[in-house]
Amino acid sequence: MKNKHQATLEKEVIQMDEIRMEIAEAHREWENAIRYFNHAHGNDQIDYAIYCMITAEKRYDMLLRLAKRTSNNWPAWRGAMK
């Protein structure tokens, strides 16, 4: 039977992995929004591209802040930006 400390540690590792995957996804969305902006034509597409870039950047920042609050070991995480 696992002790309480091991269970808590395993839960934190799972949570960190989930956040890491979300961070990678958010970064890809941000890069895609920038690419879309670079190829946008007309005011409507440019406005939409700007909205997408701002939204993606905010999500990425929010997830990084969440990761830093979640674990004191955040700097030791590897592969967040693969």
Side-chain angles (χ1 to χ4, degrees), residues 10-55:
E10 287 178 8
K11 183 179 176 183
E12 184 176 312
V13 168
I14 291 169
Q15 185 179 17
M16 289 188 314
D17 285 341
E18 289 172 356
I19 293 170
R20 182 183 5 229
M21 287 187 296
E22 282 192 63
I23 288 170
E25 178 186 339
H27 191 261
R28 282 190 303 273
E29 288 175 6
W30 188 17
E31 289 176 330
N32 288 337
I34 292 169
R35 274 192 290 278
Y36 183 80
F37 176 78
N38 290 331
H39 294 94
H41 298 286
N43 290 339
D44 290 341
Q45 284 187 3
I46 291 170
D47 288 346
Y48 178 73
I50 291 169
Y51 170 78
C52 289
M53 286 184 346
I54 291 169
T55 303

